Each structure stands twice: as structure tokens, then as C-alpha cells.
Amino acid sequence: MEERSTMMHRDMPPLLITWLTILSIASCQSVCPARCLCYLNQIPRTIECSRQGLQTFPENISDIVEHLDLSSNFLTGITDKINRLTELQYLNLAKNQLTSLPNNLEELINLRRLDLSDNIIANTADIASINQLPSLKVLYISKNQLLDLKGLTSEVLQAVDAGHCLIKELGNASLNGLPGLTTLNLAGNPLKIIQTPVSRTLRWLDMSDCVLNYLYPDTLSGLPELEELRLVNNPTLVYSTRHLTLQHPKLKRLDVSRCNLDRPGLHGFPSLTNAYLSHNTIRILPDRIFAKNKQLMHLYLNANSLERLNASTFEDLMKLQTLDLSANNLEDVPAMTFQENIDLRLLNLSYNSLHRFPNFLSFVTSLDLSFNLISRFNANSLENMPRIRSLNLRSNQLQLLPSGLKSKTLKVLDVQKNRLVELHNNSFVELPSLQKIDLSGNRLTEAMDPDIFEHNLDLTVIRLEDNPWRCDCTQLYDTFEYLTVPVSKTVGSSLICQSPANVSGYSWEAACFDAWNTDLYYNKDRTWGMVMVSLLILVVLCGSVVSIKHTMRIKRRVLEQRRQLELSEERERLRLLHARRNHRLEEEIEDLENSAEPRINPLELIGPPSYEEAVHMPRLVHSMDALNEISVEDGILRPMSSVDNLRMKKRRTRRTKTNRKRTQSEDDLLRREERRQERIRRERNNSSGNICETIDQTQNTISRNSRVSTTRRFRRHSIVEESLESSSSKDRPKPQTPNTKKKKRRQMFRDEHVTDDEASDVQIMNFNRSIIIRELRREPRSGYRDSFVNKRES
Ligand SMILES: *[C@@H]1O[C@H](CO)[C@@H](O)[C@H](O)[C@H]1NC(C)=O
Ligand SMILES: *[C@@H]1O[C@H](CO)[C@@H](O)[C@H](O)[C@H]1NC(C)=O
Ligand SMILES: *[C@@H]1O[C@H](CO)[C@@H](O)[C@H](O)[C@H]1NC(C)=O
Ligand SMILES: *[C@@H]1O[C@H](CO)[C@@H](O)[C@H](O)[C@H]1NC(C)=O
Ligand SMILES: *[C@@H]1O[C@H](CO)[C@@H](O)[C@H](O)[C@H]1NC(C)=O
Ligand SMILES: *[C@@H]1O[C@H](CO)[C@@H](O)[C@H](O)[C@H]1NC(C)=O
């Protein structure tokens, strides 16, 4: 940008140049690098490019940026173009692939925090250019491959996080280059040797999670300002022997939890206020062992192996406020142990092996005796604790709270998860300040008389859940009212009955709802209730009667409608049938007149015709009379009125219909049949011998096709049969093919098993069985060849 503006300078008027410069600056500012988020309007002006897979330092980063986050990318190097970002205060390059910093960082005059953690920097020389950063205060260089801090130089650097590197040694010159250093984190390094490092300014040093073994008494002598030393979890660390111990006149806070200490060894630290000695292997605390630590305020000795305390163990600790002795093996505490600790506020004795309430004198305000084995608890136990406010006796073995337990100050009493079976009616009488009591998880069965709390005017929380309550509703009532009115002192739904069996698992409220509520409403609402109930019953009865009537009416109407529908359908079918028959009759007449050509000549067939072909074969239609004549002529068939035939078929198909309908339709059919015959007779008179003519014509056509005479003879016969067939099939009410009909009949003959329906069929069959059998034999469709052979034989 600078280059461009100088180029412009040569041949452009100054005003224009200024404008263009401003414009280009503006555009530079407005351009946010690809895959970054820019917040340049907020303070600090921030650009975030973390987790974007960047492999190179992004271009076009606005030079007004103050916080730049390039963490979690794949950057392998930074060029000194970064010097453009003169406003930069915080540069985050953590979690990249950097091995070094550019040699020139001179322009980053505002950079205060530089995060290089989790890269692959192996040598302090590769980042030596940080000494050019005049404002650098904090350097994060943890999780790199540094072997030493030697060579790291900065006049101004105050805090260095060099945790989880590969630093094995802290020599007497290691911190020489950092004259302003106050805070140094070396946690998680394989640090084993400390050789009196020197720093005039260091105040906070963390060497937790290292492998320190032994600290000489003068190890800290080069660090005169040290206030806090953290040495947590150096599993083999020892710094104190019988005669020698680590010393520091100003050290205030020492955390040596999870080390290998068998004694506190604090007498070299006269200024100590906080000592964390948890999770060590300290077994005994000799008399006056903390006598030199007069400033001690918070002492944590939990999770050691303490078995005994001596009366003078904590003597002289006048400022002691917190003493944690939990998770040890203490079985008793001498009465005078804490008498000098006049400032004691929290004494934690939980997770020990105390069998009785310790009878010591103390000014403690909060005493934790939870998770012990205490079963005895005297009324005067609290008399020696004039300031006690909170007493935790959770998870002990108390069966009874002492009667007349006295404490003017006790506010919170926790006896959760003990074995209390009942409450003394004067256990709480002498606890005027009681605000909160936890009795949950005990074995209380009887509802207590609310009067037992009558002196505890400040009591606002009573926890009673998880007790096997016996729900005698009359007895519970007063208790429940006390617990819930005017403000709830307990969670009502947490009170669960265990007995009697019929309410086991119910809450007090649910179990006693009836009992408690009838008392209140029974008499008042009795008559009204009766009236309401009888009214209700009346209304319900009326309603159901009306609805039943209604549904019956609807059902009847539906039935009626269905019947009507069926009737009309039936009528429609009949009408269609008649129409079809009429149509066919007309066709017949037309055929007779025109003697139409056959659609498929049977002689064209090689084998017997299929059903389809048969249907399409010429249908020589004759009148019923003609059929009769032919039958007579033939001499085989008995003359039979086609009307009779028809009537029988009708009966067969319509058997299921009602009698009324059947007779109606049959009459109708009969009448129509008569009319038809009449018409056909008239027709025949007009053209007599028409059939014979037709046959002759056909024969002529055949002979013209030079067929043999036998074929001709057969053919004539077949045409006759055809006419017979068609005349019988013509009148069928349903489009039932002759084949299926035949099959049905055969079935009947074969099976001998006849249903009611078929019985009538059989009767008909018997009536003119011979005819039918012949018909079957002569059936042209399937019995083609057969009938031909028969004919020849006959
Ligand atoms: C940087 O900005 C200039 C114009 O301001 C543009 O031409 C160039 O492509 C940009 N570079 C990147 C990497 O975005
Ligand atoms: C640092 O230690 C070396 C030996 O390792 C010693 O020669 C030197 O005198 C020490 N320097 C200081 C200032 O203690
Ligand atoms: C503890 O005190 C008793 C006297 O109360 C004394 O005999 C004993 O030696 C003391 N134990 C320690 C380790 O100081
Ligand atoms: C007492 O110590 C136990 C176990 O170390 C801990 O769970 C409990 O919270 C401590 N009590 C108080 C009041 O800090
Ligand atoms: C405690 O109960 C006993 C009987 O069990 C009774 O005689 C006594 O008066 C009750 N005391 C109080 C304070 O309710
Ligand atoms: C449970 O049974 C008792 C008698 O055994 C009876 O008085 C009480 O009303 C019953 N409770 C419920 C909720 O049925």
C-alpha cells in the first residue's frame, strides 16, 4: 500500500492522492481475509481465523487489528510481513506447526501477549526475537519441545507458561534472561533437578506434575520474592528430613499435595498462610509441630494416615481458620486439641473413625463430622463449642438425638442418613437458633408432634424425606399442617408412606386426602351432594334413553334405504337384460335378412376352436320354432319349447331372489317371449325356408372352396348344433359361457355332493337329462371332433 501511494505521488495532484490513499486504506480495512471473522468495530479490534486449515499467514489482514487469533491451523512459519500489524496486542499462534518466529519483530511495539503453545519449537534461540517486543508481558510456550529456558531473553516479560515441555533441569542461570519474571509455570515437565534458580522478582512458581525428588534447604534461596510454590503430584518428592528442611522466609502458599511426605516439614516457612498437605503419607503429628507457622490460616491435612492428634498438635496456630483433617484414621480427638485455635471456623473431621461425638473445646463455627461411626451424642456435647453454627452428622449411626441438646448458636443441624427411629419430644427445645434441620434418610415412622419444634421459632427448613412413615391420617394431620402452613418447610411430595399396605408408596397428601378432606366438607355439603348426584343420574338416564332411541331410528332408516337400493338395482339389472335381449332379437332378425358372412369360418380352423374362436364363429340364429323343427327333424332331440328351457334357466340363476321378484320377472319374461315368438312367426311367413337357403348358401361357399363332402356334412350338422346352442345360450340371464356351465354340470354328476342350491338343478337335470347330455356331447366348442366322429358313426 505504501508502495502504491508513492507511485501515485509522481504523476497525480496531491488532493487526488490523499483521497485515493484514504480510499485504499478504507478498502484495506473493509477487506476481511478469507476464512476469517473480523470484528473491527469492537474493542479490542479482533480478527479470528482459528480452525480454518490455514497453511500460510493470511494476506490482507487489516493493520488496525488488536487481537489476532490464528490458532489451530497448519502454519509452519510467520514472515516478517507481520510487522505491518503495529496495533497488535495479542497474537494467538497456538496449535500450529511453527518451529520459529521471524527474526524481526521490531514493529510489534504493542504486543503484550504472545501464545506459541502447542507448536514444535525446540529451541529458545528460534524465538529469540521476542526480546524485540517492548511490551511483551505474557508468553505462552507450553507444549513445545523446549529442553531449557536458557536463552529466553526479555527485559519486560513477566509471565512464562512453559508447562508440558521437555525441560529437565532448572539451572542457576536458567532465568537470567528474564529479569522481570514474576510467574513461571513449569508443570508437567520431566523436571528433576533444580539448581537454585535465580530470579529477583519471581513470586509464583509451579512445578506440579514433575518428577522432583528432593529439594535442598537452599533450593529457593535465589528466589527471594517467592510467595507461592506449587509442587502438587511429584510422587517421590521429599524436602524435609529430621534435621534439614526446605526454607523460605517469605513463602505464603505451599501446595505439596500428592507427594511423598511423611511429615509436614513446614518449620522452614514462617510466613506460610496456606499449606496444602493432602494425600501424603503423614501418620503422626508431633507436639507443637506447627509452632513456627504462626501465620497459618488454612491447613489441609486430609487424606493422610493420621491416627492420633495430641493435645498440643495445633498449639500456637492462633490464626488458623480452616483445618481439614478429613479422610484420616482418627478415632478420637483430645478435648484440648483445638482450644488455642481461637479463629477456627471450619473443622473437617469427616471420613474418620470417630465412635462418639468428640468432646473437645473449640471455637469452631462449622464442624463436619459426617461419615464417621458416631452412635453416642450427649446433650452437653455442644456446650464446649460456643460458636457452633453448623453441625454435620450425616451418615453416622445415631439412633436417638439427645434430649435437651443445648446450643444457643446452632443454626443448621444435619443428621441425614442415621438410624433415628423417633424424635425425643424435647430434643430441640434448647436450640433456639435452629433454622434448618435435615432428618431425611432415617427410620422415622411416627409423625412427630409439631409441639417438639415450638421453641424453634426460626426453623424454616425441615427435611423429612426418605423415612418409612406409617400413615395414620388423624395423627399426620397436625404435623402436615405444621410443615406446610403458613409457608412450606418441607417438600410435601417427598413425604412418602410406607405403611399401612394400602397406601404404601403414596405421599402423605395422596394417602390422607380423603380422610383430611371429608372432615372439612362432609357435613356441609352432604344434602347438596345428594341432590347433585341424583340430578346427575337423572340427566344421564334421560340422555341415554334419548340417544338409544335416536340410534335405533337411524338404524331402521339405514336398513330401509339399503333395501330400497337393492330393489332399484335389481330393477335396473332386469331392465338392462331386457334391453340386451331385445337388441339381440333385432340383430337376429337382421341376420336372417342379410344372412351375414361368418366372422370365422370353422373350416379355417385346424384343431378344435378355442373358446375365443368359438365365440367368434358364425352364429346362425333361428327362431325358437325353427329350433323345434330341427329337433324334430333330427329325430334325436325331443321337441322342447325354448320358453320352457328359458324358464328353467331363469329359475336356476334367480333362485336367491325373493319369490315376489322372481314371479314378476318370469311373468315379464314370459310375456316378452310370447311377443317375440309372435314377431318371429310373422317374420317367417314373410320369408319361408330361409334357414334352408342360408344353409345351402353356406354349403355353396364351402364347395367353392373345394372341400370334401364329409366335411360338408359335418358342417351342416355343426351349424344346426350351433343354432341350437345359440338359441339356448341366447336367453341366459348371465353371460355364462357354455363351457363353464357344462363343467358345472359334470361336476354335479361326478361329485354326487349337492348343495341345496344344486338340488333343484338336479331335479331339472332329471327332468330332461337326456337332452342335456346330448347337448353336452354336441357342444361345438369343445366337443368338435367328438361330435364329428359320432355323426359319422351314426
Ligand atoms: C488482497 O486485497 C487485494 C485488493 O485489496 C486483492 O486484489 C487481493 O486478491 C487480496 N488478496 C487476498 C489473498 O485476498
Ligand atoms: C551456577 O552453578 C555453577 C555450577 O553448576 C557454578 O559454577 C556457578 O558458580 C553457579 N552460579 C551461581 C551464580 O550460583
Ligand atoms: C502426645 O501426648 C501425650 C500426652 O498427652 C504424650 O505422652 C505423647 O508422647 C504425645 N505424642 C507425641 C507424638 O508427641
Ligand atoms: C470435609 O471433607 C470432605 C472430604 O474431604 C469433603 O467432602 C467435605 O466437603 C468437607 N466438608 C466441608 C464443610 O468442606
Ligand atoms: C414428652 O413426652 C412425655 C411422654 O412421652 C410427656 O410426659 C412429656 O410431657 C412430654 N414433654 C413435652 C415437652 O412435650
Ligand atoms: C387404608 O386402610 C385403612 C384401614 O386399614 C383405611 O382406614 C384407610 O382409609 C385406607 N386408605 C385408603 C387410601 O384406602
Side-chain angles (χ1 to χ4, degrees), residues 279 300 302-303 322-327 346-351 366-371 390 392:
H279 292 95
Y300 291 82
N302 53 304
T322 308
L323 178 58
D324 191 342
L325 292 166
S326 65
L346 172 63
L347 176 56
N348 195 340
L349 285 165
S350 74
Y351 295 99
S366 178
L367 177 59
D368 192 341
L369 289 167
S370 60
F371 298 94
S390 170
N392 187 351

Side-chain angles (χ1 to χ4, degrees), residues 561-571 661:
Q561 276 175 357
R562 198 180 299 159
R563 212 180 299 146
Q564 289 286 342
L565 202 72
E566 276 173 8
L567 263 173
S568 66
E569 264 174 22
E570 198 51 48
R571 271 194 215 113
K661 261 190 281 173

